[in-house]
Amino acid sequence: MMSCEKRRVFGAAFVLLQGVVTAVFPQLSVKLAKKMIGKNFDNASDLEANPAYIRQLRAVGVGMVAAGGTTLLLERPQETESGSPENGASDEGSTESAT
């Protein structure tokens, strides 16, 4: 079974990768949306994305990159900090008992 930290890292990496693809290749997201809409509606293949929609997709992709990257960057120091309070608390406790 994967630990919660590993799942969080995997999820952040997935969001980061999806954000990069969406920001760099927004037409792939448009094709996917057309395909999904086409299963329920007629003539969905005739739809065309406005330039504003493409810009919004790129902005969402950049936001996903920022969110995923921030999560990955903050995950590493959190692991090292979890060890230091324990060491700091035990050092303080030993200092107090010695004094």
Side-chain angles (χ1 to χ4, degrees):
M1 202 182 220
M2 287 178 59
S3 69
C4 187
E5 291 178 22
K6 288 183 181 179
R7 285 186 226 158
R8 195 172 326 148
V9 169
F10 176 75
F14 182 76
V15 168
L16 181 104
L17 180 64
Q18 186 176 4
V20 167
V21 171
T22 302
V24 177
F25 305 110
Q27 291 296 331
L28 290 175
S29 295
V30 171
K31 287 180 184 179
L32 178 66
K34 282 183 183 181
K35 190 177 231 183
M36 297 304 288
I37 290 172
K39 294 190 181 281
N40 295 316
F41 296 98
D42 294 331
N43 300 327
S45 60
D46 296 339
L47 294 174
E48 289 186 28
N50 293 337
Y53 180 70
I54 300 293
R55 283 192 306 271
Q56 291 169 356
L57 274 177
R58 286 182 194 246
V60 168
V62 169
M64 291 170 72
V65 168
T70 302
T71 301
L72 288 175
L73 288 174
L74 294 178
E75 190 67 29
R76 301 279 184 216
Q78 187 177 23
E79 291 173 2
T80 57
E81 288 177 10
S82 64
S84 38
E86 292 174 16
N87 294 338
S90 63
D91 289 342
E92 289 174 11
S94 62
T95 307
E96 290 176 14
S97 63
T99 309

